[in-house]
Amino acid sequence: MDVRKRVGTNLRRLRSETGLSQERFALEHGFDRTYISGIERGARNPTIQVVQRIAEALEIDVMELFARPAE
Amino acid sequence: MDVRKRVGTNLRRLRSETGLSQERFALEHGFDRTYISGIERGARNPTIQVVQRIAEALEIDVMELFARPAE
DNA sequence: ATGTGACTTGTAGTCCGTT
DNA sequence: AAACGGACTACAAGTCACA
């Protein structure tokens, strides 16, 4: 499994669990909505600093975004 | 702690454990010698696909490179 | 509310070196 | 063996209009 899919899947699940839409999550944490969308779909190849910023927004350790998602 | 330092510190430890120099590690796995050096020092901000490729070269899960290093 | 193509600007990634 | 510099090209960062 590609790491982009991995991070994207984890982000989508964790972001959903906060109860926020992509739009509100992006707005409240200073991201562009379409950029978050692209990462969740695995269409983007973000740098580790971007992933770090997302982890901070989710209030989790960056490592969690790289966990292998359950099938 | 910055995520670049985290990945760099982990890479340096894990790469050293393989017994390979930066130069040989890079050569044998198709990386640029100076780029590996930069990542280990935390001076670079690699994309997640590059970190994935490094993890594959180390034969570990990419998640391990994001673990919080021991102090 | 999300997906997608297109776009500009900045920097990731590579290659040549020297210290 | 590793840190570091300069220059270059490929592509990520960040944004927008529209479906």
Side-chain angles (χ1 to χ4, degrees):
Chain A
M1 190 190 202
D2 184 71
V3 68
R4 292 175 306 174
K5 270 284 178 197
R6 210 146 133 167
V7 169
T9 300
N10 288 325
L11 169 55
R12 179 157 295 184
R13 191 191 77 252
L14 293 161
R15 191 261 311 155
S16 293
E17 286 172 6
T18 68
L20 294 175
S21 66
Q22 287 180 0
E23 200 161 19
R24 289 206 43 99
F25 176 80
L27 194 68
E28 294 190 12
H29 297 102
F31 298 104
D32 186 88
R33 171 187 74 75
T34 68
Y35 191 49
I36 296 298
S37 170
I39 292 175
E40 287 194 4
R41 283 177 286 117
R44 294 275 190 159
N45 181 26
T47 61
I48 62 178
Q49 283 188 327
V50 167
V51 180
Q52 163 103 307
R53 283 170 45 209
I54 291 172
E56 285 166 3
L58 291 167
E59 297 180 328
I60 59 170
D61 191 283
V62 63
M63 198 179 177
E64 286 191 49
L65 284 167
F66 289 91
R68 184 157 50 80
E71 317 300 318
Chain B
M1 190 190 201
D2 183 69
V3 68
R4 292 175 306 174
K5 271 284 178 198
R6 235 200 222 201
V7 170
T9 300
N10 288 325
L11 169 55
R12 177 157 297 185
R13 191 190 78 253
L14 293 161
R15 191 261 311 155
S16 293
E17 286 172 5
T18 69
L20 295 175
S21 66
Q22 287 179 358
E23 202 161 18
R24 287 200 50 96
F25 177 80
L27 194 68
E28 293 189 14
H29 296 102
F31 298 105
D32 185 82
R33 155 182 71 82
T34 68
Y35 194 46
I36 296 296
S37 168
I39 293 174
E40 288 194 4
R41 283 179 286 119
R44 290 283 188 156
N45 181 29
T47 62
I48 62 178
Q49 283 188 328
V50 166
V51 180
Q52 164 98 308
R53 282 176 49 212
I54 291 172
E56 285 166 4
L58 291 167
E59 297 181 330
I60 58 168
D61 191 282
V62 61
M63 199 179 178
E64 286 190 49
L65 284 167
F66 288 91
R68 184 157 48 79
E71 317 301 318

